[in-house]
Amino acid sequence: ETFRYYVCANSTTGLGNCSSERSDLINLSALPPTAPHVYSPTNSTYGGNVAINYTASLSPNNYAIAFYNITLLNENYSFNKAIEANNSLNLSYVWDSSGTANGNYLIMVEACDILSQCSQGYSEIFLLNNTNPSIVFISPTPENASVFNILDYGSLVINASVYDTVGVDSCILE
């Protein structure tokens, strides 16, 4: 492919000058596709099912994109595990993170064209927290499986403390 260019300069006094046209040959055949932009997850806290979303990659040579690989990286960009080895041409994936240890991570999405030329895009670093909130019953709550006669006491008091490292969204007594 031929790249043609010239340069023009104009002074503040209105004088101008342009170079002659130049041309260079550009070999685009070895260029990988553009890196996908991983826009989810973001710098936030996630757990359970995590939505991974990214943009389509394009080949500067118009080669077809063959597939996307999705990988979990530790926050220092070292490999942790493959999430999806071939997500076809899908631009999203829902990852069940429940078997992954709590910690800071990022997602790498690799786009590969039909010539196996690949490029990588990265999410922001995010916190994965798969720890369930803790629930502790506090006195005067009756012991589990105890018999409580409402006629003897007139009311039943249930007192519980709930805690989660990232905050409790709701607490329901049923």
Side-chain angles (χ1 to χ4, degrees):
E1 183 130 356
T2 301
F3 177 64
R4 298 181 191 284
Y5 59 97
Y6 64 93
V7 176
C8 288
N10 295 308
S11 71
T12 56
T13 61
L15 299 174
N17 185 26
C18 291
S19 70
S20 60
E21 184 179 273
R22 301 178 64 153
S23 65
D24 292 312
L25 294 177
I26 298 176
N27 182 0
L28 297 177
S29 63
L31 292 177
T34 59
H37 171 65
V38 183
Y39 59 90
S40 179
T42 59
N43 184 9
S44 191
T45 301
Y46 297 86
N49 290 333
V50 177
I52 300 169
N53 297 295
Y54 46 93
T55 60
S57 294
L58 300 172
S59 167
N61 310 306
N62 292 321
Y63 299 138
I65 302 299
F67 56 85
Y68 295 93
N69 295 319
I70 305 172
T71 304
L72 181 67
L73 301 178
N74 299 310
E75 80 178 306
N76 65 359
Y77 287 76
S78 63
F79 177 83
N80 186 287
K81 67 179 174 182
I83 293 175
E84 184 67 20
N86 182 338
N87 199 35
S88 185
L89 297 179
N90 297 316
L91 300 177
S92 64
Y93 184 81
V94 176
W95 167 48
D96 178 4
S97 71
S98 61
T100 304
N102 294 342
N104 289 314
Y105 298 99
L106 64 150
I107 300 294
M108 178 182 74
V109 175
E110 180 180 57
C112 297
D113 65 22
I114 58 173
L115 297 181
S116 298
Q117 299 176 119
C118 302
S119 62
Q120 299 81 30
Y122 302 89
S123 73
E124 296 176 7
I125 294 174
F126 62 92
L127 174 62
L128 188 64
N129 182 344
N130 282 315
T131 304
N132 293 326
S134 64
I135 302 171
V136 177
F137 288 100
I138 302 168
S139 180
T141 304
E143 293 295 319
N144 188 31
S146 64
V147 176
F148 184 84
N149 187 343
I150 194 79
L151 296 175
D152 292 340
Y153 297 97
S155 65
L156 173 63
V157 176
I158 298 175
N159 191 2
S161 174
V162 294
Y163 173 77
D164 190 74
T165 56
V166 294
V168 175
D169 182 44
S170 64
C171 179
I172 301 169
L173 173 65
E174 292 185 359

